[in-house]
């Protein structure tokens, strides 16, 4: 029997598919220091992780029975992927399963920003019953998203999902991507109709300078931030910026400076430098809508991730005995 350790958990949909096909699944979390011993003792053939468990060269060398390493989600920073592949191990992930969830979080931040929800949710519990009129005045200068321009930097899976929702809201979309020159954005409606838009990508300077809001959907490569003081300088005064990609893609010091100087009006952040201990100055900043890296953390995404991993595992063992 093929034995699977889902060390950071897997959705019920994934467990059901695997068990129906005769696989054994354990979701007991084994701490990192005991992982090698446990995998060998229990003779697991598949190790599934999210971001918490590290799958390094040492573990790969010490656990020869492992045939598949699976990552629920996108980033593979916690797995020595090339080394695993060189040892004949199949490495799988689920790159599209969470795109819609991240795209929706972008709009949660956008709506929060333009109507100051991030701040009114902090102030109402403190003075809502005594200073209602003052608070009402403070948050009275909101704006609509409709008719504004959203600049999408990184026009891959998530960037294109974001474009669909922006178009649905009546926003204009500008996109920049290092490799993608054009994309066909197909919007499906609830009644089975659909409509397609062709979006040609543009140079980053055009996107930065012509957008009311910038949202980032590209990988982090190297140490240098993609958006630093110079890029913020190109943005419209009073614009907003959202990062749901990876910490370090925005220079956090330059961002706080731009917010303090009112070059930018607001920001929305799901990812930070130095996670899980982000800067307290960022966390307390009164112009930032904050979430603790929950872009992919919806029930629907977790269900899709589990089901996708299960299907890939079954396909692999069906083809390879
Ligand atoms: P993707 O690979 O489909 O798209 C990324 C795009 O960025 C690609 O089209 C690529 O050509 C482009 N790109 C790469 N380098 C670039 C550069 N320097 N300048 C401009 N474009 C560049 O990836 P995706 O699935 O859309 O994910 C995007 C980001 O979202 C990733 O960083 C991923 O780690 C992150 N993410 C975050 C969460 C979360 O929980 N917040 C969840 C899932 C993904």
């Amino acid at each position: 029997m093929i034995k699977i350790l889902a060390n950071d958990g897997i959705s019920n949909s994934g467990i059901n598919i695997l068990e129906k096909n005769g696989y054994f699944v354990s979701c007991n979390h084994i701490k990192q220091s005991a992982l090698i011993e446990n995998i060998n003792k229990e003779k697991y053939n598949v190790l599934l992780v999210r971001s918490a468990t590290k799958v390094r060269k040492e573990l790969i060398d010490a656990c020869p029975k492992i045939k598949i390493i699976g990552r629920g989600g996108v980033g593979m920073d916690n797995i020595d992927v090339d080394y695993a592949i060189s040892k004949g191990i199949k490495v799988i992930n689920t790159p599209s399963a969470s795109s819609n969830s991240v795209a929706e979080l972008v709009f949660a931040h956008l709506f929060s920003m333009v109507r100051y929800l991030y701040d009114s949710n902090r102030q109402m519990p403190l003075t809502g019953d005594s200073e209602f009129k003052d608070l009402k005045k403070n948050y009275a200068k909101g704006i609509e998203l409709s008719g504004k321009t959203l600049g999408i930097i990184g026009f891959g899976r998530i960037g294109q999902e974001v474009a669909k929702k922006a178009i649905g809201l009546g926003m204009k979309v500008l996109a920049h991507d290092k490799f993608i020159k054009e994309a066909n954005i197909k919007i499906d409606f609830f009644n089975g109709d659909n409509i397609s838009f062709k979006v040609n990508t543009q140079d980053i300077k055009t996107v930065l300078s012509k957008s009311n809001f910038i949202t980032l959907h590209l990988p982090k490569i190297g140490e240098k931030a993609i958006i630093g003081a110079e890029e913020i300088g190109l943005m419209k005064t009073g614009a907003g910026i959202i990062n749901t990609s990876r910490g370090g893609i925005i220079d956090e010091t330059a961002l706080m400076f731009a917010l303090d100087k009112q070059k930018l009006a607001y920001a929305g952040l799901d990812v930070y430098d130095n996670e899980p201990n982000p800067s307290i100055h960022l966390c307390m900043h009164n112009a930032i809508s904050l979430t603790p890296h929950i872009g992919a953390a919806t029930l629907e995404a977790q269900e899709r991730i589990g089901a996708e991993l299960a299907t890939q595992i079954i396909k692999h063992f069906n083809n390879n005995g």
Side-chain angles (χ1 to χ4, degrees), residues 35-61:
L35 199 53
I36 292 176
E37 191 190 337
N38 198 277
I39 288 173
N40 288 332
K41 186 168 146 242
E42 299 296 333
K43 299 187 171 58
Y44 286 114
N45 313 102
V46 177
L47 174 60
L48 301 181
V49 300
R50 288 184 187 161
S51 55
T53 302
K54 311 271 175 281
V55 190
R56 297 289 169 224
K57 187 172 175 284
E58 186 201 4
L59 185 148
I60 294 166
D61 282 336

Side-chain angles (χ1 to χ4, degrees), residues 208 228-237 258 263-264:
L208 286 170
E230 196 181 322
E231 290 72 23
I232 292 173
L234 294 171
M235 290 172 65
K236 281 179 189 279
T237 297
K263 164 69 186 170
L264 298 182

